[in-house]
Amino acid sequence: MAKFVVAGRADCPHYAKAEVLADLLQRKLPDFRVHKICVHPNEWNQWLENTCVSNGWKHERSPLVWRELIDRGGRGMLLGGYSDFMEHIQGYYGITSDMTTDMMLKIAKENSQTKDLCMQEEAQRLSQLQPLNIWISSALHPTCYCMIPQLLDPKLFSSAPLISLHLLEDGGSEEALHALKMEAEDLSWPKLHSVTVHSHLDDSVFDRAHFIIFLDDWQQEQEEGQEAHGDQAVLRKVAGKYRHYGKLIDSRADKSVQVMVAGDSFINLKCSLLLENAPSVDSGHFVAMGTQLACESRAQIAKKLGVMPADVTDVIIWGNISGRFYMDFQRTRVFRYEGAISGPSNFSQPLLEMAYNRKTFETDIMSLVSVQRSTITSRTKSAAAISATNGICSILQAWDKTWSSGKVFSLGVISKGEYNIPKGLVFSMPVIFNCGQWSVLPDLTITDELRIKIEDSISQLKTEKENVGS
């Protein structure tokens, strides 16, 4: 079987003559096949250059004709332009073309008009798709590498036909960002519409954003060192940056944007600064991620009790997620525990009734979580990226209405006075989602001990706010 490819400028008369001749051969010869590529005049030179470079050819005019060696494998065999194609056809098949110049020009004009119309229709189709715009700040953070494939999973954002990823690293390496973009594109996920990279805060940052995920400033922290974490200069620098981010969100993002702050440093404060400087966006659309801590504590509880982490439910994180926080187990239940009392797979027991010494148990779990995260960081020289990704994606699923309404999350959200937490303070509390909207879980018991710890967290958060000023 002979298969030929005829490519050319849409407005080229010689391309028109070549494609008509190829159609004639395909009708007359049962084993002759042709594939035509009509390229817009504005795109022809770049297309020709790319095609010749990838195949090792040299050709300068329209049309370009080659034969596909489909029976032998390997690259196609270049024939050349229209004259070369005619010579080949006359030699092998004894067929020639008697098309007049007027007919060539007429077909070339029709090709050009048709190509323009097709491009206009395609542009209109793409404009109607309106991809979901997801921005990731500090995109060179290790968590971003883990998160990108999860964001493109068809199970997440199931109602969005396409997703555009926007990778921001203010002051970051453009080479590293472009490498990350290439890796994302190489995933070849069908929902990926585009990937853009931004190494500084240009005019497009957060433009029409639907979701924004803030990770820690990983490179900055590596350069300044962990000992500078509490330094006032660093704190003020963070505050200035996040106030600016908030103003950009206010002026450029979609008004329904959902914003999440994740990481290990000042995340309650960052979330507070963002929402304060984006007054046109609903303050309930800003959250700080405490879900990672809750999942890590469930894993440590499971180790102590000899069950799977999924068998431990509803651990609550109160307070300053990246500072003084408190783990509350009053709703925590354990499934499939092999103890004195057992039952079917849906049978569970309250954790506090299983712990021999509740206070010691709570202290041990908090210590184990801290040690676990420190161990991961010291051994990998990286953040706990996988658990952070899991926490982020679970919140995105809740926003996307794919979680059941009864699941409890720990999130830093703006207080409306619940549990006597000062109004306007971003504080980690237990929330539940319904139709993509969170609400604080009501009717929890606040013991005197818990109240003391909550007040301690409130004091630290107020001090952080005072240190950065207004």
Side-chain angles (χ1 to χ4, degrees), residues 124-140:
Q124 184 178 6
R125 184 187 70 84
L126 291 175
S127 67
Q128 292 174 344
L129 289 176
Q130 295 184 354
L132 192 71
N133 292 308
I134 302 177
W135 284 79
I136 305 174
S137 178
S138 300
L140 297 180

PDB file of all heavy atoms in Angstrom, residues 124-140:
ATOM      1  N   GLN A 124     -13.735  29.678  18.651  1.00  0.00           N
ATOM      2  CA  GLN A 124     -15.001  29.879  19.348  1.00  0.00           C
ATOM      3  C   GLN A 124     -15.321  28.697  20.254  1.00  0.00           C
ATOM      4  O   GLN A 124     -15.784  28.865  21.384  1.00  0.00           O
ATOM      5  CB  GLN A 124     -16.129  30.086  18.340  1.00  0.00           C
ATOM      6  CG  GLN A 124     -17.481  30.389  18.983  1.00  0.00           C
ATOM      7  CD  GLN A 124     -18.559  30.638  17.954  1.00  0.00           C
ATOM      8  OE1 GLN A 124     -18.340  30.483  16.757  1.00  0.00           O
ATOM      9  NE2 GLN A 124     -19.743  31.012  18.411  1.00  0.00           N
ATOM     10  N   ARG A 125     -15.024  27.487  19.770  1.00  0.00           N
ATOM     11  CA  ARG A 125     -15.277  26.286  20.581  1.00  0.00           C
ATOM     12  C   ARG A 125     -14.434  26.292  21.850  1.00  0.00           C
ATOM     13  O   ARG A 125     -14.931  26.020  22.949  1.00  0.00           O
ATOM     14  CB  ARG A 125     -14.966  25.029  19.764  1.00  0.00           C
ATOM     15  CG  ARG A 125     -15.281  23.716  20.482  1.00  0.00           C
ATOM     16  CD  ARG A 125     -14.785  22.534  19.695  1.00  0.00           C
ATOM     17  NE  ARG A 125     -13.340  22.457  19.690  1.00  0.00           N
ATOM     18  CZ  ARG A 125     -12.622  21.904  20.658  1.00  0.00           C
ATOM     19  NH1 ARG A 125     -13.222  21.390  21.727  1.00  0.00           N
ATOM     20  NH2 ARG A 125     -11.309  21.859  20.583  1.00  0.00           N
ATOM     21  N   LEU A 126     -13.154  26.645  21.693  1.00  0.00           N
ATOM     22  CA  LEU A 126     -12.270  26.670  22.857  1.00  0.00           C
ATOM     23  C   LEU A 126     -12.672  27.757  23.844  1.00  0.00           C
ATOM     24  O   LEU A 126     -12.564  27.576  25.061  1.00  0.00           O
ATOM     25  CB  LEU A 126     -10.826  26.881  22.403  1.00  0.00           C
ATOM     26  CG  LEU A 126     -10.178  25.726  21.635  1.00  0.00           C
ATOM     27  CD1 LEU A 126      -8.797  26.115  21.155  1.00  0.00           C
ATOM     28  CD2 LEU A 126     -10.124  24.465  22.484  1.00  0.00           C
ATOM     29  N   SER A 127     -13.150  28.899  23.330  1.00  0.00           N
ATOM     30  CA  SER A 127     -13.558  29.986  24.225  1.00  0.00           C
ATOM     31  C   SER A 127     -14.788  29.605  25.047  1.00  0.00           C
ATOM     32  O   SER A 127     -14.978  30.081  26.165  1.00  0.00           O
ATOM     33  CB  SER A 127     -13.844  31.261  23.430  1.00  0.00           C
ATOM     34  OG  SER A 127     -14.983  31.103  22.595  1.00  0.00           O
ATOM     35  N   GLN A 128     -15.623  28.727  24.507  1.00  0.00           N
ATOM     36  CA  GLN A 128     -16.823  28.313  25.213  1.00  0.00           C
ATOM     37  C   GLN A 128     -16.542  27.259  26.275  1.00  0.00           C
ATOM     38  O   GLN A 128     -17.350  27.050  27.177  1.00  0.00           O
ATOM     39  CB  GLN A 128     -17.860  27.785  24.218  1.00  0.00           C
ATOM     40  CG  GLN A 128     -18.432  28.863  23.303  1.00  0.00           C
ATOM     41  CD  GLN A 128     -19.341  28.300  22.231  1.00  0.00           C
ATOM     42  OE1 GLN A 128     -19.339  27.093  21.958  1.00  0.00           O
ATOM     43  NE2 GLN A 128     -20.125  29.165  21.605  1.00  0.00           N
ATOM     44  N   LEU A 129     -15.387  26.586  26.174  1.00  0.00           N
ATOM     45  CA  LEU A 129     -15.079  25.533  27.147  1.00  0.00           C
ATOM     46  C   LEU A 129     -14.765  26.102  28.526  1.00  0.00           C
ATOM     47  O   LEU A 129     -15.044  25.472  29.537  1.00  0.00           O
ATOM     48  CB  LEU A 129     -13.900  24.697  26.640  1.00  0.00           C
ATOM     49  CG  LEU A 129     -14.199  23.797  25.443  1.00  0.00           C
ATOM     50  CD1 LEU A 129     -12.931  23.101  24.964  1.00  0.00           C
ATOM     51  CD2 LEU A 129     -15.268  22.761  25.774  1.00  0.00           C
ATOM     52  N   GLN A 130     -14.159  27.295  28.574  1.00  0.00           N
ATOM     53  CA  GLN A 130     -13.861  27.974  29.821  1.00  0.00           C
ATOM     54  C   GLN A 130     -13.209  27.033  30.854  1.00  0.00           C
ATOM     55  O   GLN A 130     -13.859  26.552  31.772  1.00  0.00           O
ATOM     56  CB  GLN A 130     -15.128  28.594  30.415  1.00  0.00           C
ATOM     57  CG  GLN A 130     -15.716  29.692  29.552  1.00  0.00           C
ATOM     58  CD  GLN A 130     -16.911  30.359  30.177  1.00  0.00           C
ATOM     59  OE1 GLN A 130     -17.396  29.947  31.224  1.00  0.00           O
ATOM     60  NE2 GLN A 130     -17.409  31.398  29.540  1.00  0.00           N
ATOM     61  N   PRO A 131     -11.930  26.748  30.677  1.00  0.00           N
ATOM     62  CA  PRO A 131     -11.250  25.838  31.605  1.00  0.00           C
ATOM     63  C   PRO A 131     -11.239  26.370  33.031  1.00  0.00           C
ATOM     64  O   PRO A 131     -11.324  27.574  33.274  1.00  0.00           O
ATOM     65  CB  PRO A 131      -9.830  25.760  31.034  1.00  0.00           C
ATOM     66  CG  PRO A 131      -9.671  27.014  30.247  1.00  0.00           C
ATOM     67  CD  PRO A 131     -11.020  27.316  29.689  1.00  0.00           C
ATOM     68  N   LEU A 132     -11.128  25.447  33.972  1.00  0.00           N
ATOM     69  CA  LEU A 132     -11.004  25.788  35.391  1.00  0.00           C
ATOM     70  C   LEU A 132      -9.569  26.253  35.627  1.00  0.00           C
ATOM     71  O   LEU A 132      -8.616  25.520  35.343  1.00  0.00           O
ATOM     72  CB  LEU A 132     -11.323  24.563  36.238  1.00  0.00           C
ATOM     73  CG  LEU A 132     -11.530  24.759  37.730  1.00  0.00           C
ATOM     74  CD1 LEU A 132     -12.846  25.482  37.979  1.00  0.00           C
ATOM     75  CD2 LEU A 132     -11.532  23.410  38.436  1.00  0.00           C
ATOM     76  N   ASN A 133      -9.410  27.473  36.123  1.00  0.00           N
ATOM     77  CA  ASN A 133      -8.074  28.035  36.336  1.00  0.00           C
ATOM     78  C   ASN A 133      -7.601  27.761  37.762  1.00  0.00           C
ATOM     79  O   ASN A 133      -8.171  28.279  38.727  1.00  0.00           O
ATOM     80  CB  ASN A 133      -8.086  29.540  36.078  1.00  0.00           C
ATOM     81  CG  ASN A 133      -8.306  29.871  34.613  1.00  0.00           C
ATOM     82  OD1 ASN A 133      -7.600  29.353  33.754  1.00  0.00           O
ATOM     83  ND2 ASN A 133      -9.288  30.702  34.323  1.00  0.00           N
ATOM     84  N   ILE A 134      -6.560  26.938  37.887  1.00  0.00           N
ATOM     85  CA  ILE A 134      -5.987  26.593  39.192  1.00  0.00           C
ATOM     86  C   ILE A 134      -4.586  27.184  39.285  1.00  0.00           C
ATOM     87  O   ILE A 134      -3.717  26.890  38.455  1.00  0.00           O
ATOM     88  CB  ILE A 134      -5.923  25.065  39.389  1.00  0.00           C
ATOM     89  CG1 ILE A 134      -7.328  24.448  39.271  1.00  0.00           C
ATOM     90  CG2 ILE A 134      -5.298  24.725  40.741  1.00  0.00           C
ATOM     91  CD1 ILE A 134      -7.343  22.944  39.387  1.00  0.00           C
ATOM     92  N   TRP A 135      -4.381  28.030  40.280  1.00  0.00           N
ATOM     93  CA  TRP A 135      -3.079  28.657  40.505  1.00  0.00           C
ATOM     94  C   TRP A 135      -2.398  28.005  41.702  1.00  0.00           C
ATOM     95  O   TRP A 135      -3.039  27.754  42.723  1.00  0.00           O
ATOM     96  CB  TRP A 135      -3.250  30.153  40.769  1.00  0.00           C
ATOM     97  CG  TRP A 135      -3.548  30.950  39.533  1.00  0.00           C
ATOM     98  CD1 TRP A 135      -4.749  31.066  38.908  1.00  0.00           C
ATOM     99  CD2 TRP A 135      -2.615  31.720  38.778  1.00  0.00           C
ATOM    100  NE1 TRP A 135      -4.621  31.880  37.797  1.00  0.00           N
ATOM    101  CE2 TRP A 135      -3.326  32.299  37.700  1.00  0.00           C
ATOM    102  CE3 TRP A 135      -1.249  31.999  38.915  1.00  0.00           C
ATOM    103  CZ2 TRP A 135      -2.719  33.123  36.762  1.00  0.00           C
ATOM    104  CZ3 TRP A 135      -0.643  32.821  37.981  1.00  0.00           C
ATOM    105  CH2 TRP A 135      -1.372  33.376  36.915  1.00  0.00           C
ATOM    106  N   ILE A 136      -1.110  27.740  41.555  1.00  0.00           N
ATOM    107  CA  ILE A 136      -0.304  27.200  42.658  1.00  0.00           C
ATOM    108  C   ILE A 136       0.847  28.155  42.902  1.00  0.00           C
ATOM    109  O   ILE A 136       1.698  28.362  42.026  1.00  0.00           O
ATOM    110  CB  ILE A 136       0.235  25.793  42.341  1.00  0.00           C
ATOM    111  CG1 ILE A 136      -0.904  24.841  41.973  1.00  0.00           C
ATOM    112  CG2 ILE A 136       1.027  25.251  43.537  1.00  0.00           C
ATOM    113  CD1 ILE A 136      -0.434  23.481  41.502  1.00  0.00           C
ATOM    114  N   SER A 137       0.859  28.775  44.085  1.00  0.00           N
ATOM    115  CA  SER A 137       1.949  29.662  44.454  1.00  0.00           C
ATOM    116  C   SER A 137       3.037  28.860  45.167  1.00  0.00           C
ATOM    117  O   SER A 137       2.744  27.919  45.899  1.00  0.00           O
ATOM    118  CB  SER A 137       1.436  30.778  45.363  1.00  0.00           C
ATOM    119  OG  SER A 137       2.483  31.631  45.766  1.00  0.00           O
ATOM    120  N   SER A 138       4.297  29.241  44.962  1.00  0.00           N
ATOM    121  CA  SER A 138       5.455  28.453  45.403  1.00  0.00           C
ATOM    122  C   SER A 138       5.439  27.100  44.704  1.00  0.00           C
ATOM    123  O   SER A 138       5.515  26.042  45.331  1.00  0.00           O
ATOM    124  CB  SER A 138       5.465  28.282  46.926  1.00  0.00           C
ATOM    125  OG  SER A 138       5.532  29.531  47.572  1.00  0.00           O
ATOM    126  N   ALA A 139       5.350  27.177  43.366  1.00  0.00           N
ATOM    127  CA  ALA A 139       5.183  25.958  42.562  1.00  0.00           C
ATOM    128  C   ALA A 139       6.411  25.066  42.554  1.00  0.00           C
ATOM    129  O   ALA A 139       6.315  23.897  42.150  1.00  0.00           O
ATOM    130  CB  ALA A 139       4.810  26.345  41.129  1.00  0.00           C
ATOM    131  N   LEU A 140       7.572  25.564  42.980  1.00  0.00           N
ATOM    132  CA  LEU A 140       8.763  24.718  43.048  1.00  0.00           C
ATOM    133  C   LEU A 140       8.872  23.983  44.383  1.00  0.00           C
ATOM    134  O   LEU A 140       9.839  23.263  44.619  1.00  0.00           O
ATOM    135  CB  LEU A 140      10.027  25.560  42.806  1.00  0.00           C
ATOM    136  CG  LEU A 140      10.117  26.203  41.413  1.00  0.00           C
ATOM    137  CD1 LEU A 140      11.400  27.001  41.276  1.00  0.00           C
ATOM    138  CD2 LEU A 140      10.036  25.137  40.323  1.00  0.00           C
TER     139      LEU A 140
END
